[in-house]
Each structure stands twice: as structure tokens, then as C-alpha cells.
Amino acid sequence: MTRPISPAPAIRDERPDEQAAIHDLTQRAFAPMPFAAGDEQDLIHALRNAGVLSLSLVATSEEKLVGHVAFSPATTEDGRPGWYALGPVSVEPGLQKSGIGSALINAGIQRLGAAGAYGFILTGNPAYYTRFGFRPRPDLCPPQDPAEYFMVLALGDEAPSSRFAFHSLFHAG
Ligand SMILES: CC(C)(COP(=O)(O)OP(=O)(O)OC[C@H]1O[C@@H](n2cnc3c(N)ncnc32)[C@H](O)[C@@H]1OP(=O)(O)O)[C@@H](O)C(=O)NCCC(=O)NCCS
């Protein structure tokens, strides 16, 4: 069961002086996960360096970094712009299941949606991401990704009909 922390964490854009803390938090959050590639923290760094970290939000509690989510541009085979990949997303291990991940994800979807995004893609556990409106779309999964974990959230009526691609840096490791 989710137990909210008090005070509720603040959600805002990352600051340049938080890059090392985001790296460390991501490494610590993913380390125990059996599905982790082990380079999630480096992916964020690479996206930032390449200028394709579309949105990088942090959650802070009493000035301490407690969560982070990254968004980057996604493309479709038929060349439609306006789609974003969600992730990596990380919450401080001792503070997981207290609503921080949800707050970050909802804030990012809301920010990019208000800016005109058509929708979002990710690979992740459907048991978690369906609560944000993501739906499994194995038919639209990039060939090199696990189709059973590929999910899409379309914000508008325009249903995607061609396969998606994550930024090439997702597969550079
Ligand atoms: C996944 C993660 C970002 C979720 O953030 P969080 O703040 O812990 O989650 P929230 O508090 O918003 O939501 C809690 C709910 O999500 C569920 N949940 C959390 N992580 C989950 C996961 N990996 N798979 C399925 N369900 C998950 C919890 O069981 C809880 O369910 P409930 O509301 O039915 O009780 C966080 O657990 C984390 O950093 N995990 C390690 C890194 C990781 O796995 N990142 C995502 C890779 S796809």
C-alpha cells in the first residue's frame, strides 16, 4: 500500500548542480532490480550531453533529492513528431511506494502534454504504468526491445499505427 511522505515532495526541473546526485540516485534505485541493464544512470548523462533530455524532473524533500524522471524524444516509423519516451525513473530506495514516482510521472506527462505532446512510450511493468493510462502495445514495440513490456500512452484521439523507436542512445550501451 502507498504511504505518502510528509511534507509532500516538491517537483521541479533539475538544476545543473544536481547531475551527480541524479546519477547516484539512479544507480542505487536500479541496482537491486533484476531487469536493470546497469547503465541507466549513464543513459541520463548521455541524453543530457546530446541535448535530447527533453524534460528532467526531480523530486526533493527537505532540500534532499528523493526522485528523478527523464523524458526524451521518441519517433515513429512514419515520422510523426511529438512523442516522448518516459524513463529512466528512480525513487530513493528507502522512500519507494510513498507516491514520489507517481508524482514525478504525472508532473512530466502534464508538462509535456500542455506543451503539445501527442503521447509517451516506455518499457516497464504494466502493473505499475497502467495507473497513468499506459497500455501494452507489443505490436508497436521497437524490434530490439521486450514487446511484453512495451507500453504507449496516447494523449489525443490520434492512435499510433506504426512502430516506435527510442532515441538511439537507449541502445548505445
Ligand atoms: C518504479 C519506481 C520509480 C516507482 O516509484 P514509487 O515512488 O516507488 O511508486 P509510487 O509510490 O508512485 O507507487 C507505488 C505503487 O507502485 C507499485 N510499484 C512500484 N514499483 C513497481 C514496479 N517496479 N512494478 C510494479 N509495481 C510497482 C507499488 O507496489 C505501489 O502499488 P500500490 O499503489 O498498488 O500499493 C520506484 O519504485 C523505483 O525507483 N524503482 C527502482 C527503479 C525502477 O524500477 N524504475 C522503473 C523501471 S521501469
Side-chain angles (χ1 to χ4, degrees):
M1 211 176 101
T2 303
R3 281 170 300 162
I5 61 166
S6 180
I11 310 289
R12 58 164 171 76
D13 290 289
E14 72 166 25
R15 293 192 312 238
D17 64 351
E18 290 172 324
Q19 293 177 11
I22 291 168
H23 182 279
D24 290 354
L25 170 66
T26 305
Q27 195 164 33
R28 277 185 288 112
F30 274 88
M33 309 311 286
F35 54 79
D39 60 356
E40 288 79 8
Q41 62 283 351
D42 301 324
L43 172 61
I44 298 166
H45 190 65
L47 291 168
R48 189 188 291 114
N49 277 355
V52 291
L53 191 53
S54 311
L55 184 61
S56 178
L57 294 177
V58 296
T60 62
S61 178
E62 293 168 344
E63 301 300 311
K64 196 177 173 311
L65 186 79
V66 294
H68 174 261
V69 65
F71 291 85
S72 56
T75 49
T76 59
E77 271 177 357
D78 58 9
R80 292 194 213 180
W83 288 83
Y84 293 90
L86 190 167
V89 53
S90 302
V91 170
E92 181 64 41
L95 295 173
Q96 290 173 5
K97 301 188 181 181
S98 57
I100 298 170
S102 297
L104 282 163
I105 291 167
N106 283 324
I109 291 171
Q110 212 251 331
R111 272 272 294 276
L112 290 168
Y118 286 118
F120 302 87
I121 65 170
L122 58 78
T123 52
N125 189 337
Y128 185 56
Y129 291 102
T130 46
R131 71 190 65 201
F132 307 103
F134 282 88
R135 295 290 174 260
R137 289 300 301 263
D139 52 320
L140 303 180
C141 183
Q144 61 273 66
D145 288 293
E148 68 272 34
Y149 294 114
F150 183 74
M151 305 186 74
V152 174
L153 168 60
L155 296 183
D157 298 333
E158 203 182 350
S161 57
S162 74
R163 278 182 187 270
F164 284 94
F166 292 92
H167 191 278
S168 58
L169 286 168
F170 275 73
H171 301 293

